[in-house]
Every structure is written in C-alpha cells, then in structure tokens.
Amino acid sequence: MAETADVVIIGSGIVGSSVAYHLAEHGCTNVLVIEREAHQGKGSTGKSMGGVRAQFSTPVNIQMSRYSIDFFSHFDEVMDHPADYRPHGYLFCATNERHLEYLKTNRELQASLGVTNVELVTQQQISEFVPQLRVDDIIGGTFCGTDGFVDPHSVMTGFMLQARSRGVKLWLDTTVTRIETGPTRHVSGVVTSRGNVSTRTVVDAAGPWAAEVAAMAGATLPVEPLRRQLVPTEPFMGLPQRFPMVIDMSTGFHFRREGKGILLAWNDPQEKPGFNSDFDPGFIEKILTRAADRVPCLADAGVNPRRAWAGLYEMTPDHHAIIGRSPEVDGLYFVNGFSGHGVMHSPASGRIAADVILRGYSDLIDATQLAPERFSEGRLLHETAVL
Ligand SMILES: Cc1cc2nc3c(=O)[nH]c(=O)nc-3n(C[C@H](O)[C@H](O)[C@H](O)COP(=O)(O)OP(=O)(O)OC[C@H]3O[C@@H](n4cnc5c(N)ncnc54)[C@H](O)[C@@H]3O)c2cc1C
C-alpha cells in the first residue's frame, strides 16, 4: 500500500529536524522526513561554524535569536541531548565612527526587544578579552555574553531523536524527485526513489537546494547557494583558551577557538552564487593575510589545507529566512533561505513553521514578515549584520 503522511518534510538538516520536532510537540506526529543522503547533516548543517548571536539589526532576527538562544540554554534538559551551547559571547570591534554608531543603534533596538545584556566596550576592554589583538585602530565595540556557539550536528540529532520518539518517521537515502499537485494546484503527494507518498502538506527544508525542490512543484523561490569557506589552524596556544567570537568590522574577518586550534572565517566578496562547494586552497592566503593583520601572532599558526572546508550558505535577496506557505501551490511550505543563520535560528524557525502549518499564524513573531510574497510585494527586510 502506498505510504501516506499528514506532513512530508524534504530535508533532514537542522531545520527540517526542528520542524519535525515542533510539529510533533504540537501533536502532529504522522510526519515523514525524507533525506537523500545516507546520514543526516551532510548539507550545510554539517559545515556550519556553530555561531549563535542576538546581535542583529532587524527586529525579526533579534526576536528569533532571543527565542533560540533561550531554547539552546535549556536544550540539554528538554531534549535529553547535548546542544553543547557555550555562551562565550560575540565581540564586535569597530574601527570607525560609522560602525560604532551602527553598533550603538543596534544595541538600543536589541534592548527594546528584551536583549538587555549587550554591552558597549572600550578599546581597553576589548584587549582584555584577547590581549594579542591589534587594537590601535579599534575605537570600541559591543559584547553580548549569551551569544556563543553550539554543536550543530548534536542539535540536529537531538531534534530528530525527540521527533522520532513521538512517532515521526525518517527515510534516509531517499531522494524526492517530484512534488505532485492536483487540478486545484494543491499538493497531493511526493515521488521518491523509494516510492510514492500521499500527503496534502509538504515542507521544503532543503537548505541550499530549496529552490530546486520548490521547482519540483512548479513554484519559484529566490534562494541561491553561495560558497562559504572555513579554515581551522593546527593546535595554537598563542591565544587564550576561552574567548568570544571576535569580529573585525573593518574586514569582516572573524575567529573563535575550536578545541586546541582557532577557526578562521571571512566572507569573500568575490564569491559568486553556485553549487561549487570545493575548498579553494588559494583562500588560505587571503584569510591568513586578514588574520595576521588583526592578530599578528596568527602569522605563526600552522594550517593544513586538507582540514579546511567549504559549504553553502542559502542566500535570499534580503538576507532573511523565508518561512511560510507558497503563494503558488497550496499545501507547500518553505523554511529556508537563512543566509548564514540557519543553525542559530533553528529552534525559532521550527516553532514558527509548525505554528504556520498547523494554525496559519505564529504568536512568536509576525510570520507574515518572512512570507515568500514579500519579494513580489516589495516588502524586503534589511539586515546588514550578516557574517
Ligand atoms: C561554512 C558555513 C558556516 C556557517 N556558519 C553558521 C553559523 O556560525 N551559524 C549559523 O547559524 N549558521 C551558519 N551557517 C548556515 C547554516 O549551516 C545553515 O543555515 C543551516 O545548516 C541550514 O540548515 P538546513 O537544515 O536548512 O539545510 P541543510 O543542512 O543543507 O539540510 C538540507 C537537507 O536537504 C536534503 N535534500 C536536498 N534536496 C533533497 C531532495 N530532493 N530529496 C531529499 N533530500 C534533499 C540535503 O541532502 C540536506 O541534508 C553556516 C553555513 C556554512 C556553509
């Protein structure tokens, strides 16, 4: 007999897993998650830097972070699984008045939305966090002590284990090849490499591949993949054992400790949208130049190119997630386009998506802000604090 499900979720990364968990939490347990890889976490989730922060510049991102960070702080008890949430903070460092004003404005907005622990810090305070930092041109910054890091793979696993314990099914090694719609343009099922599944509701949680999945139903979705590269150093004891994520706003270079080494990140503005996720060895020199400029002792850090990696961001035109029902195909929902924030916003996005699917609205945020129609209606959001 053909399989049926109340909801089919395409993609079992951190976002699909969170949607599955939140649906099950709301009592919707006849849910099937379909993942083409043999293991979870092979998409963007397994490539992430694991950063979580509330220091954003738009209300919707701040609200989603606030909910999510609180969720991460209770994750281990609630999910009976570790999130490895480390509230080591994010430290933004400004080298010009424009950036400092921007941080101050954001801080006021963050406080008005309940994130009251973002501190303005002086050059002197910044160098106390990381004495090895070159601070001669830094004029100040902001620090939020509840920002920090999680283990994305562990969070994803925790969501899925809890979802499955409530009855959600997970099909691995199964590719969705088509989304079927009836004459009224309502979803009627999906075709997969393991057979057909009847369903009236499909959730596209396919990360960087979300637009391809939308197209399977004849829907359009402005989500583009963009390569993003990370470089870990060999064990390096020239920096403190514990320090925040440090962001050099003059270049966008940022770094944090990862075990015995340091994880170096920088968003190369020359990167063009596409599915190429091979690591480019030429990136190492680019990032080390910026690293050594801000932290001179990092010039001595060893780097093994074989340990560096690349993955794909899922970019939208306004760098905000798309969460909501498709205006073109009834029964099709989107939860994607996180533009680099899908790990940190996974608790909120799963909750908002489950609310919208089951009730048509969310009381966590005004979800219409993230609806896909905002692009055709010219209601774009503007987030400039993208790392
Ligand atoms: C290098 C890097 C660093 C990052 N750092 C951070 C960070 O510090 N903080 C943060 O919050 N975010 C970060 N991100 C972004 C974050 O990783 C993503 O936003 C998040 O993982 C998206 O999760 P997802 O579940 O939507 O997508 P994915 O994890 O990509 O999951 C989508 C899944 O869909 C499956 N799939 C696709 N098509 C099909 C199909 N037809 N049939 C079946 N299955 C299908 C894929 O196999 C995949 O497993 C980073 C990303 C990268 C690449």
Side-chain angles (χ1 to χ4, degrees):
M1 219 170 73
E3 187 79 20
T4 61
D6 290 339
V7 181
V8 166
I9 300 173
I10 304 174
S12 73
I14 199 164
V15 172
S17 300
S18 174
V19 176
Y21 165 75
H22 283 90
L23 283 171
E25 260 295 281
H26 286 63
C28 175
T29 54
N30 184 13
V31 175
L32 172 63
V33 185
I34 304 181
E35 169 57 56
R36 68 179 167 199
E37 301 287 349
H39 303 282
Q40 282 185 265
K42 299 282 231 181
S44 298
T45 301
K47 307 289 169 56
S48 169
M49 198 174 186
V52 300
R53 63 180 160 115
Q55 294 189 74
F56 277 102
S57 69
T58 61
V60 65
N61 273 346
I62 296 167
Q63 287 166 308
M64 286 174 73
S65 290
R66 194 178 161 208
Y67 174 85
S68 298
I69 291 172
D70 185 56
F71 196 103
F72 288 132
S73 71
H74 298 105
F75 193 97
D76 298 20
E77 307 99 82
V78 174
M79 311 300 278
D80 199 18
H81 194 85
D84 197 17
Y85 168 55
R86 283 153 284 157
H88 294 184
Y90 263 56
L91 176 65
F92 282 82
C93 304
T95 54
N96 62 50
E97 284 299 338
R98 189 171 57 85
H99 282 159
L100 195 56
E101 277 312 308
Y102 167 79
L103 292 176
K104 288 179 181 167
T105 308
N106 291 350
R107 178 174 172 263
E108 280 171 24
L109 180 66
Q110 289 148 11
S112 74
L113 293 165
V115 182
T116 53
N117 61 336
V118 180
E119 301 162 38
L120 283 174
V121 286
T122 61
Q123 181 198 62
Q124 172 63 30
Q125 288 169 310
I126 288 173
S127 63
E128 283 164 15
F129 281 109
V130 186
Q132 296 80 358
L133 207 65
R134 183 179 62 77
V135 292
D136 55 346
D137 59 345
I138 292 179
I139 59 171
T142 51
F143 173 73
C144 177
T146 45
D147 289 351
F149 328 113
V150 294
D151 176 337
H153 203 278
S154 193
V155 170
M156 173 190 71
T157 306
F159 277 134
M160 188 53 82
L161 285 171
Q162 281 295 334
R164 292 180 78 179
S165 75
R166 288 162 171 76
V168 169
K169 284 199 243 172
L170 170 64
W171 284 2
L172 295 170
D173 223 349
T174 308
T175 303
V176 175
T177 52
R178 209 162 71 225
I179 300 172
E180 297 196 304
T181 53
T184 56
R185 296 291 290 145
H186 199 297
V187 166
S188 57
V190 295
V191 178
T192 82
S193 53
R194 191 163 150 175
N196 296 359
V197 182
S198 299
T199 185
R200 300 271 296 161
T201 306
V202 166
V203 179
D204 175 356
W209 301 275
E212 288 183 352
V213 166
M216 290 178 193
T220 45
L221 188 70
V223 172
E224 283 187 324
L226 185 69
R227 183 172 64 170
R228 170 84 173 162
Q229 310 191 78
L230 295 177
V231 176
T233 71
E234 297 292 291
F236 186 75
M237 294 308 147
L239 290 177
Q241 189 49 44
R242 174 179 169 155
F243 63 89
M245 177 86 88
V246 180
I247 300 103
D248 175 356
M249 293 179 77
S250 67
T251 60
F253 167 69
H254 51 290
F255 62 101
R256 70 168 174 87
R257 185 165 279 288
E258 172 68 32
K260 293 195 164 119
I262 309 296
L263 191 53
L264 311 176
W266 175 66
N267 209 354
D268 188 341
Q270 294 189 326
E271 206 63 66
K272 297 273 176 290
F275 282 104
N276 176 15
S277 60
D278 296 336
F279 181 77
D280 167 18
F283 182 73
I284 291 180
E285 195 186 329
K286 289 188 189 178
I287 198 165
L288 282 182
T289 307
R290 281 145 184 105
D293 175 58
R294 182 52 64 198
V295 194
C297 67
L298 279 175
D300 303 329
V303 166
N304 176 351
R306 278 178 308 200
R307 292 187 54 240
W309 72 90
L312 299 170
Y313 268 20
E314 340 80 68
M315 303 303 293
T316 64
D318 64 3
H319 298 165
H320 279 75
I322 299 175
I323 305 181
R325 51 187 287 280
S326 163
E328 296 164 291
V329 179
D330 287 340
L332 176 63
Y333 291 83
F334 299 123
V335 196
N336 36 54
F338 289 93
S339 307
H341 313 135
V343 164
M344 66 181 88
H345 286 164
S346 59
S349 48
R351 157 83 192 275
I352 296 163
D355 284 349
V356 170
I357 292 165
L358 299 175
R359 295 193 302 202
Y361 71 95
S362 176
D363 49 18
L364 182 61
I365 59 158
D366 170 8
T368 58
Q369 297 172 86
L370 299 177
E373 299 90 307
R374 72 178 187 270
F375 301 104
S376 58
E377 293 172 0
R379 289 189 285 113
L380 271 63
L381 296 149
H382 290 284
E383 174 61 74
T384 38
V386 180
L387 293 179

